[in-house]
Amino acid sequence: MCVLHGGDQTGLSDTGRAWARVRANLRLSAGARLFDQWLAPMSLVEPCDGEDVRLALPSAFMTDWVRNHYAERLVHEFRALLPRVRSVAIETRRATPAPEVMTIAAPAPAQRPAALAGAAATPLLDLAAAPVPAAPRAASEPVLHIERPQLDPRYTFERFVADPSNRVALNAARALAEPGPVRFSPLFIHGGTGQGKSHLMHAIGHAFLEARPDARVLCMSAERFMFDFVAAMRARDTHAFKSRLRGCDLLLIDDLQFIAGKDATQEEFFHTINEIMAAGKRLVISADRAPQALDGVESRILGRMSAGLVADVKGSTLELRRAVLAQRLAELPDAIVPEDVVDMIACRIASSIREVEGALNRVVAYASLTGEVIDLGFAQSVLGDTLRGVQRRVTIDEIQKLVSEHFEIKQIDLVSARRARAVARPRQIAMYLAKRMTTRSLPEIGRKFGGRDHSTVIHAVRRIEELRDTDRDVDGAVRTLIHQLEA
């Protein structure tokens, strides 16, 4: 195996020459600075078969960044030069034998009708796992191709952080993945974006294949189901499409809400799930809301979903976000992230677990690239845009109302001249939260608290910071208030 970085193209394969062109195009479009920092270290791994391209980067941080920002672009670039290219895998060249790989798969050219060209045929994001070995067959049986399930190797039950907000869904997923008689089907998992639905679905696939290596498992988004079905209809090959899905031992469909309003797709989807359920096979569906709240989806489909087990993944708690960050840091032994930075990320970014992990990755990656030490100021600088987006959702009026309710005082007391300890301490906490969770300046915060000077706000913030280190009651009250404001 050899690795090609570009340069002299003498004796290169078609893929090698295409890679040299792709690098040149990326340098022109991205600019020299971005290219040199993120894309120049990327190399082509050969030999390759001309259909599945493998690119390698020297660190996991760079791999994650290129996956997030250039994965689909790389597919487009290669396919423009080599139409036979089906996928581009981006991996980290580690010493361990099993690098993480994420494949961006596009439909094969022969199966891609002209009517789907352009935006509608944008390559879909698929995650590749190791090939599944086929069970031995009798000589009289026809040899059938067992399709490799598109599962993310990172998404396993072992790496899923349990919490009261997701425990029902986790236990249901484990039960469905167990071999033996099917206890319930379908399993319908719903919850907000980035809360762990896809993780659970992929974990089910991994666990089921571990127990039954010869099983037929298929994992796809509802959008991919729709595109494949439309392509099959235009190619007049719906029989192969139906056989592929209905022959599964485990079918995983993500983001059901994307077929809302698509009547023909829903018709085929209904018959597919009917066949699977009637055959006693396993079916897992996910969506961003409960079945009854899915507008534009036929009632008979929703009825089938509700007939199984419906489990929700609630919004993440502060404790869950901290646990997820702790697990992620355990996987990054070289990263030194102070506790106050972890606490800031967990408290300030509450929209989704995915964003919490992304924020930590961003801070660690920037520190690795710049050589700077990670502290609270550095993290806030790196995450400036993300934190400002969170801050805009909280107002000083909301903070004052919540603080007054928590300490059982009148809201007007917070803006009054009273200096009694029962009022002064809650007022300082409210000022601290206003400084931490809003974009208001110190003078603006002071004016909101009865026209006080900005120096009073500075004193309040510093005092609460000191007390959080020494007074367990104050720290507990602040944590509770932050969690309630974020919710």
Side-chain angles (χ1 to χ4, degrees):
M1 178 183 296
C2 66
V3 178
L4 301 179
H5 294 270
D8 183 12
Q9 300 182 34
T10 304
L12 292 184
S13 64
D14 290 344
T15 308
R17 285 189 287 272
W19 172 231
R21 291 275 301 279
V22 169
R23 284 177 61 88
N25 293 341
L26 290 175
R27 175 178 283 276
L28 288 175
S29 61
R33 181 176 178 181
L34 187 149
F35 178 86
D36 291 340
Q37 187 173 12
W38 294 101
L39 303 174
M42 189 160 47
S43 56
L44 175 69
V45 180
E46 288 204 328
C48 60
D49 57 11
E51 295 183 349
D52 299 304
V53 178
R54 295 172 59 201
L55 300 176
L57 283 151
S59 75
F61 301 127
M62 301 184 80
T63 301
D64 288 341
W65 191 91
V66 173
R67 284 175 179 172
N68 291 333
H69 294 84
Y70 276 86
E72 293 189 6
R73 173 66 181 277
L74 287 164
V75 173
H76 285 298
E77 290 282 354
F78 271 103
R79 286 183 62 83
L81 298 171
L82 298 174
R84 68 179 182 275
V85 169
R86 296 183 307 179
S87 65
V88 177
I90 305 167
E91 63 187 56
T92 303
R93 299 289 294 173
R94 295 196 183 108
T96 55
E100 290 183 7
V101 179
M102 184 172 78
T103 302
I104 310 302
Q111 299 174 345
R112 186 175 180 178
L116 289 181
T122 301
L124 299 175
L125 195 67
D126 287 325
L127 300 169
V132 179
R137 299 178 178 273
S140 59
E141 291 186 30
V143 178
L144 299 176
H145 171 66
I146 296 182
E147 183 174 356
R148 184 173 64 179
Q150 308 297 313
L151 301 174
D152 188 331
R154 299 169 299 175
Y155 290 168
T156 63
F157 284 130
E158 291 72 24
R159 296 192 74 249
F160 190 86
V161 181
D163 180 81
S165 64
N166 60 37
R167 197 174 302 280
V168 171
L170 172 60
N171 290 340
R174 286 185 181 276
L176 188 76
E178 292 176 354
V182 181
R183 296 168 58 182
F184 53 84
S185 183
L187 169 61
F188 187 95
I189 304 173
H190 67 92
T193 300
Q195 301 297 350
K197 302 186 304 296
S198 297
H199 189 141
L200 284 176
M201 294 186 72
H202 287 241
I204 291 171
H206 284 302
F208 188 65
L209 282 171
E210 185 176 352
R212 289 185 52 189
D214 62 338
R216 299 181 185 279
V217 177
L218 186 59
C219 179
M220 61 167 52
S221 67
E223 187 180 33
R224 178 65 179 269
F225 179 97
M226 179 181 66
F227 278 131
D228 286 359
F229 176 58
V230 172
M233 285 197 302
R234 294 186 181 278
R236 299 184 178 182
D237 191 19
T238 57
H239 177 73
F241 173 82
K242 293 176 181 180
S243 299
R244 175 182 173 226
L245 271 73
R246 299 180 190 184
C248 289
D249 298 301
L250 170 63
L251 178 61
L252 305 144
I253 302 290
D254 203 3
D255 293 326
L256 180 65
Q257 67 272 9
F258 283 116
I259 66 170
K262 309 295 192 300
D263 294 341
T265 301
Q266 290 190 41
E267 179 76 19
E268 177 58 31
F269 184 80
F270 173 76
H271 291 300
T272 297
I273 62 175
N274 249 2
E275 289 281 341
I276 289 177
M277 293 171 65
K281 304 294 184 63
R282 289 166 168 80
L283 174 64
V284 185
I285 309 289
S286 81
D288 61 357
R289 67 207 80 164
Q292 297 79 5
L294 286 169
D295 297 329
V297 177
E298 293 181 5
S299 58
R300 57 179 179 168
I301 294 177
L302 301 181
R304 294 294 188 278
M305 298 298 99
S306 301
L309 177 60
V310 178
D312 65 330
V313 180
K314 298 180 176 66
S316 64
T317 62
L318 180 60
E319 291 72 22
L320 175 58
R321 295 193 294 275
R322 285 194 176 119
V324 168
L325 290 172
Q327 182 192 71
R328 180 62 175 154
L329 283 171
E331 298 169 354
L332 301 170
D334 296 333
I336 301 176
V337 182
E339 187 175 345
D340 60 345
V341 173
V342 174
D343 189 58
M344 182 269 293
I345 294 174
C347 290
R348 298 281 292 276
I349 303 176
S351 54
S352 77
I353 294 297
R354 189 178 297 141
E355 288 190 16
V356 169
E357 291 183 314
L360 177 64
N361 289 339
R362 187 175 177 185
V363 170
V364 175
Y366 270 67
S368 174
L369 293 167
T370 61
E372 295 191 40
V373 176
I374 298 175
D375 56 22
L376 190 59
F378 176 81
Q380 289 173 333
S381 174
V382 170
L383 300 175
D385 293 341
T386 302
L387 298 179
R388 281 190 289 272
V390 173
Q391 290 170 333
R392 282 192 287 272
R393 293 196 288 267
V394 179
T395 67
I396 293 179
D397 288 337
E398 291 171 338
I399 292 173
Q400 291 176 340
K401 182 175 184 297
L402 195 62
V403 169
S404 61
E405 291 175 352
H406 181 86
F407 289 100
E408 299 180 347
I409 61 176
K410 296 179 181 179
Q411 188 171 343
I412 195 172
D413 289 338
L414 295 177
V415 299
S416 69
R418 292 184 59 190
R419 295 187 178 182
R421 184 184 180 89
V423 174
R425 186 70 76 228
R427 183 188 295 130
Q428 289 178 328
I429 290 175
M431 289 181 177
Y432 169 82
L433 294 172
K435 175 64 175 68
R436 175 169 177 164
M437 302 187 72
T438 76
T439 57
R440 299 294 185 181
S441 65
L442 295 173
E444 288 176 314
I445 294 173
R447 285 193 292 271
K448 280 285 190 176
F449 284 85
R452 286 174 165 78
D453 188 73
H454 74 280
S455 61
T456 304
V457 180
I458 294 174
H459 172 74
V461 171
R462 289 176 178 170
R463 181 60 181 152
I464 297 304
E465 287 177 343
E466 293 171 358
L467 288 173
R468 290 195 68 183
D469 292 331
T470 58
D471 192 319
R472 188 173 299 176
D473 292 337
V474 171
D475 184 58
V478 171
R479 291 179 184 275
T480 299
L481 289 165
I482 288 174
H483 178 63
Q484 291 175 338
L485 287 166
E486 290 177 338

